[in-house]
Every structure is written in C-alpha cells, then in structure tokens.
C-alpha cells in the first residue's frame, strides 16, 4: 500500500529519451547527473511531465491536504542530509550497495518523507523509516553544516504536463546546477519516467 516513490535520478539530456543511469556515488555521480530526489505526494504521477517550477509548497497538497501544503522543516533537513551525505547522530544512508541496502534505505527514506508530509499514517513506518523520522525531528541545520532556518535551501519542484495539470512534486536543493536550466529527465532504477523542461513564467500584467 505504501510502496513506490523515490529515489529518482534527474539527469541532463538532449532529445526525447535518456539512457537509464545508475551510479554508486550519489549525489556526486557522472557528469550527466544533476541530483537524486524523492516524491512529496502519494497521489500524483510522474508520467507526462514536461515543465517545472520551484516553490515552497506541494501545489495539490497530496493525500490529506487539498492544495498549498507547505514543505515541513523536518522534511527539508532529512532531504538535505541525503543530498549532502551529511548524516549525524547514528543516521546513515548506504549510497554504495545499489542492489541491496540502498534499495531498503531509499524505501525507508521515502516513507519517512511521506509521513512527515502527512501522506501516510504512523502505522506505515518501518523501523528504518522511524529512525529517519526521529533524525529529521531532532537534527539542526547547524549539525548539517548550514546556518539556515526553516526549510533552508530545500525547495519543492512542482511539475506539470503540457496542459498545465499538476504532476508529482519533488524535492530539490537550490540553486539547481546550471545544466538543469536546459533539459532534464527523471529516471527511476528501472524505467524512464519523463522529461522536464524549465517552466516559463508568464509576465505579470
């Protein structure tokens, strides 16, 4: 009932398709890779994504919120720890064992994010996910090596299809790498999930 979600690799590419890339070194892997990310919502799809914008909220809210669900500070700190490999206080993530422990860590981290964002009940948490939740609720930005407050440099990547319909919201640390301003693709461990382009902002009248 609570499977799927991240970890997803976002890569720079040209054309309609990108090859499926895996690397033991996350997030600092090959030069085509930009970052790895996780889902914020359980009721949104990734397929059909063509555009994105950054914000501080899940635009359609997810399972238990209808719209404008603000990113939780604890979620931001948990994702940043993953992004920067900045684990402290006993929490960890196995970036090396692609086919084994890393799969379990990814599932547990996704569950923890969904719990912190009110997408799954506490009963859904495994022991590993509970450990990530405890870490997120107690760690400080200073312990993570940043002098940030609130959600710090972590933002929500709101994604859309060609018709402007909301798709899955993802996590990102800003600023995005420069290459992200050209072409992006979201890849799972097996299947190509969709392409992303920078969403053009409409000029205010």
């Amino acid at each position: 009932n609570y499977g799927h979600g991240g970890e997803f690799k976002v890569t720079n590419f040209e054309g309609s398709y990108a090859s499926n890339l895996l690397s033991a070194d996350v997030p600092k892997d090959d030069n085509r890779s930009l970052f790895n990310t996780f889902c914020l919502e359980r009721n949104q799809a990734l397929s059909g994504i063509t555009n994105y914008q950054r914000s501080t909220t899940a635009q359609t809210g997810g399972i238990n919120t209808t719209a404008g669900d603000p990113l939780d500070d604890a979620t931001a700190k948990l994702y940043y720890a993953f992004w920067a490999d900045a684990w402290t206080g006993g929490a960890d993530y196995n970036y090396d064992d692609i086919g084994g422990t890393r799969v379990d860590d990814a599932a547990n981290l996704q569950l923890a994010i969904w719990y912190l964002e009110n997408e799954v009940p506490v009963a859904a948490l495994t022991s590993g996910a509970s450990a990530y939740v405890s870490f997120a609720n107690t760690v400080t930005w200073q312990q993570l090596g940043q002098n940030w407050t609130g959600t710090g440099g972590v933002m929500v990547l709101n994604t859309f299809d060609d018709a402007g319909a909301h798709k899955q919201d993802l996590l990102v640390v800003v600023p995005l790498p420069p290459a992200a301003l050209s072409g992006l693709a979201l890849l799972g461990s097996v299947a190509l999930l969709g392409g992303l382009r920078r969403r053009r902002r409409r000029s205010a009248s």
Side-chain angles (χ1 to χ4, degrees):
N1 291 334
Y2 303 111
H4 308 295
E7 151 190 8
F8 300 108
K9 181 187 292 290
V10 175
T11 60
N12 186 41
F13 77 102
E14 298 292 336
S16 301
Y17 296 96
S19 59
N20 186 9
L21 303 175
L22 285 176
S23 171
D25 186 13
V26 176
K28 306 176 185 69
D29 49 23
D30 63 77
N31 59 13
R32 290 178 292 179
S33 226
L34 299 177
F35 60 93
N36 283 45
T37 189
F38 292 82
C39 296
L40 277 174
E41 301 155 323
R42 283 188 51 239
N43 61 344
Q44 293 291 334
L46 280 165
S47 60
I49 292 171
T50 57
N51 305 290
Y52 75 87
Q53 67 181 16
R54 292 176 304 190
S55 76
T56 57
T57 64
Q59 292 298 300
T60 54
I63 294 292
N64 293 306
T65 310
T66 55
D69 185 13
L71 179 64
D72 190 276
D73 294 1
T75 303
K77 287 183 283 188
L78 181 60
Y79 178 66
Y80 181 80
F82 164 80
W83 171 286
D85 192 6
W87 302 103
T88 72
D92 201 3
Y93 192 95
N94 191 322
Y95 298 97
D96 298 320
D97 187 13
I98 292 174
T101 306
R102 179 172 166 191
V103 173
D104 295 333
D105 285 350
N108 288 330
L109 188 56
Q110 179 66 84
L111 274 177
I113 289 170
W114 276 340
Y115 173 75
L116 292 167
E117 294 298 315
N118 200 28
E119 295 290 297
V120 298
V122 66
L125 296 180
T126 61
S127 59
S130 294
Y132 282 134
V133 169
S134 296
F135 168 82
N137 282 325
T138 57
V139 73
T140 67
W141 282 120
Q142 287 67 37
Q143 289 173 314
L144 294 174
Q146 295 289 348
N147 291 319
W148 293 339
T149 59
T151 57
V154 179
M155 294 190 72
V156 179
L157 203 65
N158 306 126
T159 64
F160 307 84
D161 63 18
D162 277 334
H166 291 289
K167 306 297 282 186
Q168 179 63 250
D169 289 329
L170 305 166
L171 291 162
V172 66
V173 176
V174 293
L176 281 170
L181 302 182
S182 54
L184 300 177
L186 273 170
L187 300 181
S189 59
V190 177
L192 179 68
L193 297 175
L196 290 175
R197 293 195 305 268
R198 182 177 177 82
R199 190 183 193 205
R200 295 181 180 177
R201 295 179 178 272
R202 293 181 180 177
S203 58
S205 59

